[in-house]
């Protein structure tokens, strides 16, 4: 199963489909074939693995899959049916598929007489597929809120200037994170104040191959001459401050991961509403003082109401520190 999870990581992290890996084992435990999903419209991991075998050679084998085989017809056929028709005798999967349309493969396999075992290394597979599973369970994108601040928690100097608190390595990492998400969100206040482009760029200024869909939350219109109007992915203007409605709409649009890069007002709104899955915080070894804090009021009136997080990663980027934390109270966290 660890090999299946490792194979799954080879697939694209972005997009509507999950990363899935599959290992086909012979009765003696040796590997007959391997496969993984390479993106929407391509064979799923199980079918990819089966494609490396001659007709009939899969009969009696065990399929070890990081996610329960799907049971629906999309751009490809059901993996459950493919395994049954190939004569696979046993299917071992790590995580059940929570999708309303794609789930149910395990039950179909059992009805066909296939031995099915679930939950093997579920924690490791859940972590690998965490973003996709969150969306499959809620219908909303996985939300990462990012900010950069001084060690004393300030996002800008007293006059509002903030370029640059962090150094080149941290800023480069931000662009990599933009490229790793399906969409990027800011508020209209940020658009009007900073006129951001919200593209993912290399150090040379050249656009990266993957670009996030820009989303603006708020009721004010984006100016006709704004840089966002020239974004290669187009622009989504929500026309509302209702974050739950925004997330529902983005989920319907196929957005699976959202990078929130707005200022303190937008970031705090996501935090207050309990909509954040991951926090990505860049800390610069500098002190600014003053009122420009990275977050506004979160509704924490008593110390017992503080929002406890779990740090999952912390490392240096040049002179800066990047910290990744998650809210473990989230159902899918």
């Amino acid at each position: 199963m660890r090999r299946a999870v490792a194979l799954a990581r080879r697939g694209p992290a972005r997009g509507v489909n999950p990363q899935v890996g599959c290992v086909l084992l012979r009765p003696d435990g040796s590997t007959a074939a391997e496969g993984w999903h390479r993106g929407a419209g391509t064979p799923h991991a199980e079918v990819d693995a089966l494609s490396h075998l001659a007709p009939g050679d899969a009969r009696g084998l065990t399929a070890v899959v990081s996610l329960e085989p799907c049971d629906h017809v999309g751009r490809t056929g059901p993996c459950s049916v493919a395994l049954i028709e190939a004569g696979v005798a046993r299917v071992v999967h790590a995580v059940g598929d929570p999708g309303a349309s794609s789930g149910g493969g395990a039950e179909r396999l059992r009805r066909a007489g296939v031995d099915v075992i679930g939950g093997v290394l579920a924690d490791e597979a859940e972590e690998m597929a965490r973003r996709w599973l969150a969306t499959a369970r809620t219908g909303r994108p996985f939300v990462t809120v990012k900010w950069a601040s001084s060690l004393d928690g300030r996002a800008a100097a007293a006059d509002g200037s903030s370029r640059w608190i962090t150094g080149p390595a941290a800023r480069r990492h931000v662009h990599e994170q933009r490229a790793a998400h399906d969409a990027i969100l800011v508020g209209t206040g940020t658009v009007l104040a900073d006129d951001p482009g919200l593209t993912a760029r290399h150090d040379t200024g050249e656009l990266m191959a993957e670009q996030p869909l820009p989303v603006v939350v708020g009721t004010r219109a984006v100016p006709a001459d704004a840089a966002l109007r020239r974004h290669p992915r187009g622009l989504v203007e929500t026309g509302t401050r209702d974050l739950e409605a925004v997330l529902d709409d983005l989920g319907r649009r196929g957005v699976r991961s959202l990078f929130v890069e707005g200022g303190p007002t937008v970031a705090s709104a996501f935090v207050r509403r309990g909509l954040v899955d991951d926090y990505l915080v860049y800390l610069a070894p500098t002190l600014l003082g003053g009122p420009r804090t990275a977050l506004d009021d979160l509704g924490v009136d008593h110390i017992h109401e503080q929002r406890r997080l779990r740090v999952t990663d912390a490392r240096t980027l040049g002179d800066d520190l990047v910290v990744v934390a998650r809210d473990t109270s989230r159902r899918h966290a």
Side-chain angles (χ1 to χ4, degrees):
M1 185 61 77
R2 285 197 175 92
R3 176 60 178 169
V5 171
L7 289 168
R9 293 185 186 279
R10 297 184 182 183
R14 286 181 51 170
V16 298
N17 289 353
Q19 294 171 291
V20 183
C22 175
V23 180
L24 296 176
L25 299 177
R26 300 184 182 94
D28 64 2
S30 63
T31 298
E34 297 179 338
W36 68 92
H37 183 52
R38 291 167 171 79
T42 66
H44 289 189
E46 300 92 322
V47 175
D48 183 43
L50 290 170
S51 71
H52 299 297
L53 300 177
D57 285 358
R59 190 162 301 281
L61 299 187
T62 293
V64 182
V65 195
S66 59
L67 181 70
E68 175 189 3
C70 71
D71 194 48
H72 76 124
V73 177
R75 294 171 68 177
T76 60
C79 292
S80 55
V81 173
L83 292 168
I84 292 168
E85 292 178 345
V88 169
R90 175 195 281 184
V91 172
V92 180
H93 66 86
V95 183
D97 187 335
S101 61
S102 58
E107 182 56 32
R108 182 193 286 261
L109 288 161
R110 288 191 181 98
R111 291 199 304 267
V114 178
D115 183 23
V116 179
I117 300 173
V120 176
L121 294 185
D123 289 346
E124 294 183 28
E126 280 257 1
E127 184 66 24
M128 182 273 300
R130 183 166 166 254
R131 286 188 183 183
W132 184 86
L133 289 168
T135 301
R137 289 165 179 162
T138 67
R140 294 174 174 175
F142 183 97
V143 175
T144 300
V145 167
K146 164 263 177 183
W147 69 79
S149 72
S150 59
L151 284 182
D152 57 344
R154 268 55 182 181
D159 65 354
S161 58
S162 60
R163 294 187 178 181
W164 295 102
I165 291 177
T166 55
R171 297 198 296 273
R172 184 181 309 117
H173 190 262
V174 169
H175 282 273
E176 293 170 354
Q177 291 303 305
R178 288 180 176 183
H181 286 75
D182 292 333
I184 182 170
L185 181 145
V186 297
T188 51
T190 295
V191 173
L192 296 174
D194 300 336
D195 192 25
L198 300 185
T199 52
R201 302 183 301 278
H202 296 287
D203 290 343
T204 59
E206 181 183 357
L207 294 180
M208 293 182 176
E210 299 289 348
Q211 293 293 322
L213 173 70
V215 179
V216 177
V217 64
T219 56
R220 290 177 290 180
V222 174
D225 60 347
L228 280 178
R229 296 287 185 192
R230 301 185 293 277
H231 196 284
R233 289 287 307 279
L235 173 64
V236 174
E237 293 184 79
T238 65
T240 180
R241 297 188 184 95
D242 186 337
L243 298 184
E244 287 84 355
V246 170
L247 293 178
D248 288 339
D249 177 64
L250 292 176
R252 289 189 292 269
R253 291 173 182 263
V255 172
R256 294 298 188 264
S257 57
L258 177 66
F259 195 54
V260 177
E261 203 176 325
T265 299
V266 168
S268 301
F270 272 91
V271 177
R272 279 196 305 273
R273 288 168 169 77
L275 299 173
V276 184
D277 295 290
D278 269 1
Y279 293 82
L280 182 63
V281 182
Y282 299 89
L283 294 173
T286 188
L287 302 173
L288 293 175
R292 303 276 184 165
T293 54
L295 291 178
D296 296 331
D297 178 35
L298 299 181
V300 177
D301 297 321
H302 192 278
I303 193 64
H304 295 307
E305 299 172 333
Q306 63 186 297
R307 294 173 181 265
R308 285 284 186 182
L309 309 176
R310 177 163 66 88
V311 174
T312 59
D313 188 24
R315 52 196 168 97
T316 56
L317 292 171
D319 292 332
D320 304 314
L321 177 70
V322 59
V323 177
V324 182
R326 70 177 58 167
D327 184 346
T328 55
S329 69
R330 299 273 281 164
R331 180 171 64 88
H332 54 269

